[in-house]
Amino acid sequence: MRTTQQEEASPQELHGALDTQALEKIARRVRWLIISTVANSKAGHIGGPLSAADMLVALYFNEMSIDPSQPHAPDRDRFILSKGHCSIGLYSVLALRGYFPVEELATFDHGGSRLQGHPDMKLTPGVDASTGSLGQGLSAGLGMAIGAKKLDRDFHTWVMLGDGESEEGQVWEAVISAPRFGVDNLTAIFDVNGLQQYGWPAQERDRFDRSEPLGHVDLEAVLTGFGWNVLTVDGNDFGQILSAFDQVRAWHGTSGKPTAIVSRTSKGQGISFTQGVFKWHNGVATPEQLAQARHELLGNDPEGELQ
Amino acid sequence: MKAQRNVWGEEILSLARSDDRVLVLDADLATSTQAVQVATELPDSFVELGIAEANMVGVAFGLTTLGYRPWLSTFGVFLTCRALDQIRMMVSQTNAPVRLAGAYAGLLNGSSGKTHQDIQDLATMRAMPNMTVLVPADEFELAAMMPWIADHDGPVYVRVARDAVEPVFDADYRFSPGRVHVLRQGDDVTLVSTGVQTSRVIEAAGLLAEDGIEAKVVHVSSLKPIDEDGLVEAIGASPLVVTVEEHSVHAGLGGLVAEILSGRGGPRVVRHGLEDRWSESAPNDFLLDKYGLSPRRVADRVAQALGARSHGPRVTAG
């Protein structure tokens, strides 16, 4: 088939490039960029980007075949952040990975910026699909995976969804249809961080403790029942994440099924005052909180001087 | 006389044969929309996605990122109402070359009734940035539009009517986006119509002529883009414009014409179409008569607007 893009050099192979210690260091910088950028912009999401940060770092720094200098390379692996409100997590990783300057994060959410509140594939290098209205990303990833199969192209498509997002019906339209197409080149990562913006009270009349969006759902059993390969990991543990990626790679082109990674994480992970606190779904840190976050994440690490 | 859906099935098969970017995505209505022709003849160009239209729109977007130009096969109402947000975000905001074939749009859908009648599609699709909105009059105009749609780089919504109408054009018709067509001359009133309703409006103009009223008939099949100057020129010095459409009177063709003329100090505009209420399931002739879109009812409405005597039943709605 004709393609609209010129053939370019193959993206870089990455897996195994970094060890878990190096990835943890990058993740701490990402977390600092998340909370400091949102503070700079005086608005933005915190809890979801922090829960997803380790998975994003592992994908972009140790797994996906990509080349930041060629964000549209035809055979690059694709990534769709279906939970698009967590854009600052993705932008922070893309910036550190070299898609655009880290300094550009200071324009996040500003008029005219390439870094919109929700990812815009037409504006931001490295963004493979526009997202923001929840529940839509897995369908887009399925389209990419079906297309790759039809064209005999070997790239892998990754989609990250939230557990709150998975209350949207379209997610399940995509889940139920994907196995029909044998898309073992598609992986859905469910970032199960246990909280949504507000959701339901953990107990009747409880105002301050919120229950898990999918707490009543056996997600692994449901996904298995729909015909997916299913892996469960602690999504804030690089060792487990990388093991899961090894399995995904082994299934790519061989299993005949899409894969779901149920990534159990903590919302607000990595910063003491945001972790597990539903009110930090979004929020702007005070100067004192920023100083504390910086100390917790970077300590005296001079390489942390990123902004 | 051929139904548009049959023409769509034949033309999409022909396009898929010659252009490997063409895929037909179906939501379990291939036998109704006639996408079945592609499913049968070119199974590699056909993707069945089941009864899940929101997912289908997202899949279509994903396929466009690899160079495909997917055509969606389902009833218009399940695209423009059920999957409106998906069209908005995944198709319109990204300017993806997805082709939304709104089958059975309008009032007439084989007695399925109000649940399946898409009478707001032109309003919502017109308001979508990047979207082209086409409403062909007959089999010939649809056939001429399809190769243009296939080559267009952005998203397109096209209405595909279920049942055949008396043709307005012939096999020599050539499609040009934005162009308006003057199909009949007349100095007393200008009737502006779209889609298969134009065939009934021409008939209505004949009935008006019997009463001594000479109506000009202007057909607008390209609601977006539209040649605004061409429309104003076509209306000319008409003292009254009546828009007629198989669509809500809100924000469809009537809205478009009123928007254009209001900025230019044009003549009075009467918007005729489906009033602000729901319809029902019934045979086509019954619906056209009851909801004011039969040639007789259109003629009566025009005569009433002109203050002339009418031979038909009094118009109480529309």
Side-chain angles (χ1 to χ4, degrees):
Chain A
M1 192 176 77
R2 283 177 275 165
T3 62
T4 53
Q5 291 153 352
Q6 299 253 319
E7 290 295 321
E8 296 173 72
S10 293
Q12 301 159 354
E13 297 286 333
L14 274 181
H15 9 272
L18 297 174
D19 60 19
T20 57
Q21 205 175 358
L23 292 169
E24 280 162 10
K25 192 169 174 183
I26 296 167
R28 285 196 296 274
R29 291 182 200 163
V30 165
R31 289 192 161 89
W32 168 245
L33 290 174
I34 289 168
I35 195 164
S36 60
T37 300
V38 169
N40 178 63
S41 298
K42 298 184 173 56
H45 293 83
I46 296 288
L50 289 176
S51 70
D54 301 314
M55 191 62 79
L56 293 170
V57 166
L59 281 168
Y60 277 90
F61 282 86
N62 209 51
E63 179 57 32
M64 293 201 299
S65 291
I66 48 170
D67 180 351
S69 70
Q70 300 179 62
H72 297 292
D75 291 321
R76 73 192 186 282
D77 287 344
R78 269 67 167 176
F79 176 77
I80 299 172
L81 184 67
S82 191
K83 43 180 252 171
H85 57 284
C86 299
S87 60
I88 189 57
L90 177 61
Y91 296 157
S92 298
V93 171
L94 290 175
L96 284 180
R97 191 69 179 78
Y99 282 89
F100 48 83
V102 171
E103 293 72 28
E104 193 169 338
L105 292 173
T107 71
F108 172 61
D109 256 355
H110 291 188
S113 172
R114 298 196 293 181
L115 307 179
Q116 294 285 294
H118 293 91
D120 186 330
M121 62 185 282
K122 296 290 190 182
L123 292 177
T124 313
V127 170
D128 289 320
S130 298
T131 52
S133 179
L134 291 175
Q136 300 192 30
L138 188 54
S139 302
L142 177 58
M144 293 177 187
I146 292 172
K149 286 279 180 189
K150 291 182 87 65
L151 295 168
D152 201 20
R153 304 258 292 273
D154 197 39
F155 65 82
H156 199 89
T157 298
W158 301 82
V159 181
M160 180 183 279
L161 307 92
D163 48 354
E165 173 183 19
S166 299
E167 291 166 344
E168 290 281 3
Q170 189 185 345
V171 170
W172 302 99
E173 292 185 5
V175 166
I176 202 169
S177 64
R180 287 186 178 277
F181 299 97
V183 280
D184 49 24
N185 54 353
L186 174 68
T187 297
I189 300 168
F190 289 82
D191 181 40
V192 182
N193 63 29
L195 291 171
Q196 56 196 122
Q197 177 166 336
Y198 191 58
W200 290 276
Q203 297 170 357
E204 197 177 358
R205 295 177 184 277
D206 194 338
R207 293 170 57 205
F208 302 106
D209 190 14
R210 314 306 290 176
S211 70
E212 285 191 50
L214 299 181
H216 60 302
V217 176
D218 186 342
L219 192 55
E220 285 86 345
V222 168
L223 291 164
T224 302
F226 275 125
W228 288 59
N229 298 317
V230 180
L231 300 167
T232 299
V233 299
D234 177 341
N236 299 128
D237 179 323
F238 279 109
Q240 292 191 33
I241 292 171
L242 298 188
S243 294
F245 288 173
D246 287 342
Q247 182 60 66
V248 168
R249 218 176 305 116
W251 278 333
H252 177 94
T254 63
S255 78
K257 297 159 109 179
T259 295
I261 298 177
V262 178
S263 175
R264 300 200 177 274
T265 59
S266 294
K267 195 159 183 176
Q269 167 76 26
I271 301 173
S272 58
F273 57 86
T274 63
Q275 192 160 332
V277 180
F278 84 90
K279 286 183 177 176
W280 274 97
H281 175 81
N282 48 12
V284 177
T286 63
E288 294 73 24
Q289 288 171 325
L290 266 188
Q292 184 182 340
R294 186 187 171 96
H295 177 72
E296 289 178 14
L297 292 166
L298 305 179
N300 297 318
D301 178 7
E303 289 183 75
E305 298 288 344
L306 293 165
Q307 284 196 315
Chain B
M1 211 161 72
K2 196 184 276 188
Q4 286 184 351
R5 61 173 166 153
N6 293 323
V7 170
W8 186 80
E10 291 166 14
E11 292 295 323
I12 195 67
L13 177 60
S14 167
L15 287 167
R17 280 194 204 286
S18 61
D19 186 346
D20 57 8
R21 297 172 304 171
V22 171
L23 287 180
V24 176
L25 274 54
D26 180 54
D28 197 41
L29 285 172
T31 50
S32 297
T33 65
Q34 290 301 303
V36 65
Q37 299 188 39
V38 177
T40 307
E41 300 290 326
L42 289 176
D44 286 347
S45 298
F46 180 83
V47 182
E48 179 59 60
L49 284 155
I51 307 168
E53 294 81 6
N55 181 53
M56 177 168 71
V57 172
V59 168
F61 157 78
L63 287 163
T64 65
T65 66
L66 293 168
Y68 283 112
R69 296 189 164 191
W71 293 66
L72 304 190
S73 145
T74 185
F75 292 162
V77 71
F78 302 136
L79 291 170
T80 71
C81 293
R82 191 180 194 96
L84 183 63
D85 184 36
Q86 288 73 20
I87 292 171
R88 182 183 68 90
M89 197 185 76
M90 284 281 170
V91 177
S92 170
Q93 289 185 7
T94 67
N95 200 27
V98 174
R99 289 76 177 86
L100 307 160
Y104 294 28
L107 190 63
L108 307 183
N109 56 24
S111 299
S112 291
K114 59 182 175 288
T115 54
H116 288 50
Q117 288 164 349
D118 197 357
I119 59 167
Q120 307 121 321
D121 56 332
L122 304 182
T124 52
M125 292 299 105
R126 277 187 61 217
M128 287 278 180
N130 292 325
M131 187 68 70
T132 294
V133 182
L134 303 178
V135 193
D138 60 16
E139 60 203 88
F140 299 110
E141 188 165 40
L142 175 61
M145 283 174 171
M146 287 185 66
W148 181 89
I149 296 170
D151 277 336
H152 182 61
D153 283 335
V156 179
Y157 175 74
V158 57
R159 261 193 180 196
V160 180
R162 179 181 186 275
D163 300 318
V165 292
E166 192 64 37
V168 169
F169 298 110
D170 59 30
D172 292 333
Y173 174 85
R174 295 288 174 268
F175 173 65
S176 174
R179 184 178 163 198
V180 300
H181 301 266
V182 178
L183 301 178
R184 189 185 194 283
Q185 292 294 344
D187 294 333
D188 296 327
V189 60
T190 296
L191 311 183
V192 183
S193 182
T194 188
V196 291
Q197 182 64 27
T198 296
S199 183
R200 297 188 281 265
V201 165
I202 289 171
E203 208 179 317
L207 295 173
L208 287 165
E210 290 172 11
D211 289 344
I213 298 169
E214 289 303 325
K216 183 187 290 185
V217 175
V218 175
H219 173 63
V220 175
S221 53
S222 177
L223 269 66
K224 193 180 171 187
I226 184 167
D227 176 1
E228 295 194 11
D229 292 339
L231 178 70
V232 171
E233 191 179 325
I235 290 167
S238 253
L240 174 69
V241 172
V242 180
T243 61
V244 188
E245 60 195 307
E246 198 181 318
H247 182 273
S248 164
V249 292
H250 300 302
L253 173 72
L256 171 67
V257 172
E259 288 159 23
I260 292 171
L261 295 184
S262 69
R264 303 188 185 221
R268 184 164 75 99
V269 177
V270 171
R271 292 174 292 114
H272 184 65
L274 298 165
E275 291 298 326
D276 197 22
R277 60 173 170 160
W278 293 108
S279 169
E280 62 198 289
S281 58
N284 288 356
D285 287 345
F286 177 93
L287 292 174
L288 290 174
D289 186 60
K290 179 169 179 179
Y291 294 94
L293 293 171
S294 66
R296 180 75 263 166
R297 292 292 306 276
V298 170
D300 291 344
R301 181 75 175 93
V302 173
Q304 181 201 46
L306 283 167
R309 183 170 168 274
S310 163
H311 290 298
R314 286 189 62 79
V315 175
T316 53

